[in-house]
Amino acid sequence: MGLTGGGSLALPDVAYQRWLDSLGGAGWPARSGRASPPGLPGELGDSERVPLDEALGRVAAAAVTARWPSPRCDCAAMDGIAVRAAGLPIAPAVGGTVAPAGTGGADDLDAQDLDARAGAIRLPAGAFEWIDTGDPMPDGLDTVVVRERLLPQGDGSVLIAAGPDAAAPLATAGQHVRTAGEDFAAGEELLPAGRLLRPGDLAAAAAAGHATLVVTRRPVVAIIPTGDEIRPAGEPLRRGDIIDTNSIMLAARCRQLGALAEVGPIVPDDPDSLAAELHRAAAGADLVLIIAGSSRGRGDHAAAVLAQVGGVAVAGVAVRPGHPAILGHVKRPTGAKAADRAAIAPAIGLPGYPLAAAVIFELFAVPLLGVLTGHTPARTTIRARLDRDWTGRPEAENWVLVTLSDHGERGELPLATPARRGAGTISQLARADAWWQVPAGRDRVDFAAGTEIAVLPVADIAR
Ligand SMILES: Nc1nc2c(c(=O)[nH]1)N[C@H]1C(S)=C(S)[C@@H](COP(=O)(O)OP(=O)(O)OC[C@H]3O[C@@H](n4cnc5c(N)ncnc54)[C@H](O)[C@@H]3O)O[C@H]1N2
Ligand code: MOO
């Protein structure tokens, strides 16, 4: 099949839309092609309730709101004594002399310290209560004086050292007190629907009264490695064998996005074997990834087989690397175990070269999984400056891995060094810091050293 032509290929956005349209036409339910609006679970509809300690990396199916305020009541923010600010004496009670420390002892402040200060006041027992950080404030008391300023006395009273400004009040009302609801109010939204849950999210949910959360079902991604030369990692290699690195990368990427990856056996370069494996995989999968066999080689059957077992909407995309990509679907066998699932499973043929596979996954699998889970990762770019001239291919969107220098002087942009070309240069995936997504365009393919560019940090890509 002629999949690798030049400028006539669709750009990624157009290709994605064409794919979605064809999926919709074939009965795939998620017609909008976008992540669900807030408040709805992923397009698959089904969700489940899981304990907090199983919710990391899952996607919230609904917004999480607080069942109660936090703090739940006014409480001490520091260790010390609770007092009523309005009831504090104004004038120093001990004119320069202080009684020796009594039973309470003074850890941080001894009598001489107090003595040395111009003023201290004495609070009689009963006018205050000892309190520790987090304790509810006693009725009628509104302020905490920190332990470091206190000298307990043998008679149960306490001396409070004046602050550095003797004219200032000893304490202002509400000082060192966290008021009920100052963090969040009852009913306040803490997490939006569609959030890929992070450690802090789980803590906030617990604080807000949730021991479990409702999350969207994990989409199942069937990964099908193909090629007579492909061997699983760890097996002995003969001359010409290639390690199946793509399955490892793509499965890990699926997990980062809250999906379940099922890597199938390596399928030989034989159309019947591939067709059989596609049928098998599609029965239980929400998305099928076929690795390699997308181009023109003698063993490249992905497009022909996909057309036979389902359909091909796009064969070839104007992106470098990755242009032999295929977008289509597999018909599910009737009576497949997942009766609740659509009659088809979307499928992507990813080129075998590792960088091409990575780019095609980001361009097409990531947004489709976003539709399924309800979470679309934020693609927050950062600014950088090219450290050398760079020329791209005009007819395609270019994806270029770059390493970034540390920020130099304050306000200076990091310098971006493009990786050397070659879709098989897998070490670049490990060494690079960011992707530079260069839009297609005949006029903007020559970039001079010093040009400001926007790059997508690899470390942030899964958020
Ligand atoms: N005559 C042409 N040849 C090629 C073209 C072209 O336009 N005309 N395009 C090139 C480009 S660009 C790419 S990208 C590749 C796409 O290749 P395929 O998808 O057909 O994949 P293969 O040829 O089977 O493999 C390519 C390369 O990747 C290795 N590979 C395959 N599977 C894996 C895996 N699971 N893990 C790691 N590496 C894998 C495979 O051994 C090959 O080295 O085609 C070019 N050729
Ligand atoms: O699509 Mo190929 O990956 O350009 O190298």
Side-chain angles (χ1 to χ4, degrees):
M1 297 192 73
L3 306 176
T4 54
S8 60
L9 298 179
L11 285 166
D13 286 354
V14 176
Y16 183 63
Q17 197 51 54
R18 203 173 282 169
W19 183 36
L20 289 178
D21 292 346
S22 98
L23 293 177
W28 196 60
R31 273 174 293 277
S32 72
R34 290 201 181 80
S36 308
L40 290 176
E43 290 273 359
L44 293 176
D46 31 352
S47 53
E48 56 178 320
R49 186 173 283 282
V50 296
L52 285 179
D53 64 1
E54 291 171 22
L56 183 70
R58 303 294 301 269
V59 175
V64 176
T65 53
R67 295 181 58 205
W68 49 58
S70 177
R72 302 185 66 191
C73 58
D74 292 359
C75 61
M78 302 285 263
D79 305 324
I81 55 170
V83 298
R84 194 165 66 85
L88 289 178
I90 295 166
V94 266
T97 355
V98 165
T103 49
D107 306 323
D108 308 302
L109 184 71
D110 65 19
Q112 281 174 359
D113 285 335
L114 261 185
D115 206 9
R117 299 186 188 208
I121 61 148
R122 182 189 297 274
L123 273 192
F128 65 90
E129 278 189 37
W130 289 99
I131 196 164
D132 295 312
T133 305
D135 290 347
M137 289 298 286
D139 284 345
L141 305 183
D142 57 12
T143 303
V144 171
V145 180
V146 295
R147 183 67 181 80
E148 291 82 340
R149 292 178 61 192
L150 305 175
L151 187 65
Q153 302 299 295
D155 62 0
S157 68
V158 70
L159 292 175
I160 307 177
D165 178 3
L170 267 179
T172 49
Q175 207 172 6
H176 302 313
V177 173
R178 300 177 67 222
T179 51
E182 75 168 33
D183 182 5
F184 54 77
E188 191 173 322
E189 181 178 314
L190 294 177
L191 308 173
R195 165 65 63 85
L196 188 71
L197 293 163
R198 311 180 299 214
D201 297 339
L202 308 182
H210 300 276
T212 60
L213 287 176
V214 181
V215 295
T216 57
R217 175 167 75 73
R218 283 186 202 273
V220 177
V221 182
I223 297 175
I224 306 178
T226 74
D228 293 341
E229 78 286 19
I230 304 299
R231 295 283 170 272
E235 284 209 352
L237 299 175
R238 297 162 310 189
R239 182 179 156 79
D241 284 352
I242 300 284
I243 300 166
D244 179 11
T245 58
N246 285 339
S247 297
I248 291 167
M249 169 179 67
L250 298 172
R253 198 69 192 90
C254 288
R255 277 183 227 116
Q256 279 186 322
L257 294 162
L260 279 175
E262 291 180 355
V263 179
I266 294 163
V267 178
D269 287 324
D270 159 54
D272 293 340
S273 305
L274 181 57
E277 182 56 18
L278 279 171
H279 275 303
R280 191 200 63 76
D286 300 297
L287 172 63
V288 178
L289 304 181
I290 310 158
I291 303 173
S294 66
S295 192
R296 299 182 158 195
R298 289 160 294 167
D300 293 342
H301 309 296
V305 172
L306 199 55
Q308 177 201 322
V309 300
V312 171
V314 174
V317 180
V319 60
R320 298 279 175 165
H323 72 275
I326 305 159
L327 304 176
H329 67 266
V330 187
K331 283 195 194 110
R332 290 215 171 92
T334 43
K337 62 173 181 179
D340 54 325
R341 291 186 178 162
I344 61 152
I348 305 176
L350 302 104
Y353 274 139
L355 265 57
V359 168
I360 294 307
F361 185 91
E362 295 308 316
L363 278 173
F364 301 110
V366 169
L368 195 93
L369 286 173
V371 173
L372 297 175
T373 62
H375 165 78
T376 303
R379 287 266 166 93
T380 313
T381 54
I382 61 165
R383 311 292 303 169
R385 200 174 291 290
L386 266 182
D387 74 343
R388 64 198 60 196
D389 296 345
W390 188 87
T391 302
R393 298 184 187 229
E395 80 287 0
E397 180 173 304
N398 288 267
W399 280 57
V400 184
L401 282 167
V402 299
T403 51
L404 298 176
S405 71
D406 288 341
H407 287 256
E409 299 284 305
R410 247 179 112 74
E412 258 182 35
L413 295 177
L415 289 179
T417 308
R420 66 177 188 278
R421 287 182 203 275
T425 55
I426 198 165
S427 67
Q428 307 295 349
L429 276 173
R431 293 196 176 118
D433 299 305
W435 283 107
W436 175 28
Q437 195 177 350
V438 192
R442 298 196 173 274
D443 48 339
R444 231 26 248 282
V445 289
D446 291 315
F447 293 83
T451 304
E452 205 176 305
I453 60 173
V455 300
L456 189 61
V458 174
D460 295 349
I461 214 164
R463 290 187 304 152

